Amino acid sequence: MNEFTLGVVSSLLATVLTLVGGWIFSVRSRRWPVAILSRLTGLGVRRVISRQRLASSELTTELTRARWVRVLAGRGNELTRDGFAAVWEAAGRRLEFVQVLLPDTDLGPGSWLSRREEEMRRVDLGFSPGLLAEQVRVNAAYVSEVARHRENVSLRFYDLPNVHRVIVTDHVAYLTIYRQAEHGRNSPCIVARRPGLMYDYALILFGTAWDHGRPAE
């Protein structure tokens, strides 16, 4: 898992650089320093969106034009919403494949998923013990049902730190770095286009987790 560890470090460094460069300027001009810094470093970062949920409409558009889709999610709620409806419909026609990674809920106390749940209970009183795992199971059941009808849809489970969400297509990567005291939807989202180091990193991050993931039964 050396690639994974190095990738996390490089991602955090890149996030710091892009956020510091962007926040110095106004909201309207924030994309310019990020674009300049990205070009100078070869990161390929187009912008940093302050909250993941603000990228939803843009992400939906990207998904409708993708040739393939890879998703590593901390919970997977978005997989069952309207934004992904086009993915499941296109999986039987246009898309070459869809690969989904969700946390492994069978590992119980002490797992990375349970640690993330403990973090969320500190800031969200509605997170009763076991709730996060149950939400993951529901979303996994949804994807599994889609996979029964779409042979190019695959699901695996990972046991890794629940610290990010990755969505990669053949053109763009959306990488959310989870804050400890925030829901993922309120955490910053990096948008990186191909070609670029950050896009390549997102692919490596997903590929490493996928190779070590447990296939859904």
Side-chain angles (χ1 to χ4, degrees):
M1 301 295 286
N2 289 335
E3 286 183 331
F4 176 82
T5 303
L6 291 174
V8 170
V9 173
S10 63
S11 174
L12 293 175
L13 177 60
T15 303
V16 171
L17 290 173
T18 51
L19 287 175
V20 170
W23 285 340
I24 294 174
F25 297 84
S26 67
V27 173
R28 178 171 294 182
S29 62
R30 191 172 294 166
R31 293 186 182 182
W32 288 102
V34 173
I36 294 172
L37 180 62
S38 179
R39 181 178 292 274
L40 291 174
T41 61
L43 287 175
V45 175
R46 292 303 177 91
R47 58 193 170 282
V48 178
I49 301 173
S50 60
R51 297 175 186 269
Q52 174 186 281
R53 57 186 173 82
L54 299 178
S56 295
S57 59
E58 176 186 321
L59 173 60
T60 299
T61 301
E62 292 291 348
L63 292 174
T64 60
R65 65 179 63 155
R67 288 203 344 257
W68 50 261
V69 179
R70 292 183 168 112
V71 180
L72 184 156
R75 192 184 332 185
N77 284 350
E78 198 162 6
L79 297 169
T80 66
R81 294 172 180 161
D82 290 344
F84 264 81
V87 172
W88 309 130
E89 293 171 3
R93 303 190 304 272
R94 173 178 53 81
L95 284 174
E96 296 175 7
F97 60 83
V98 181
Q99 296 176 328
V100 178
L101 276 163
L102 291 174
D104 195 331
T105 60
D106 291 344
L107 302 176
S111 68
W112 289 108
L113 183 63
S114 66
R115 296 183 194 183
R116 176 61 175 171
E117 184 178 80
E118 291 173 2
E119 290 177 355
M120 295 312 303
R121 282 207 299 272
R122 299 190 189 105
V123 296
D124 190 335
L125 298 179
F127 263 76
S128 58
L131 178 62
L132 181 56
E134 183 59 30
Q135 290 178 337
V136 173
R137 290 189 189 98
V138 169
N139 295 326
Y142 181 93
V143 177
S144 294
E145 182 63 19
V146 173
R148 285 203 318 115
H149 303 279
R150 299 284 189 264
E151 62 180 13
N152 56 348
V153 175
S154 303
L155 172 66
R156 291 188 182 183
F157 299 101
Y158 66 87
D159 180 30
L160 295 168
N162 197 306
V163 294
H164 47 248
R165 187 199 73 173
V166 181
I167 299 179
V168 189
T169 75
D170 49 305
H171 293 297
V172 64
Y174 289 80
L175 175 61
T176 299
I177 307 298
Y178 292 160
R179 293 190 176 109
Q180 285 189 330
E182 290 281 359
H183 283 285
R185 61 180 177 270
N186 295 326
S187 297
C189 179
I190 301 171
V191 182
R193 293 259 173 202
R194 180 181 185 182
L197 293 176
M198 187 57 70
Y199 176 90
D200 293 342
Y201 163 69
L203 278 181
I204 292 172
L205 183 62
F206 180 92
T208 302
W210 182 263
D211 291 343
H212 291 80
R214 175 176 66 82
E217 298 177 359

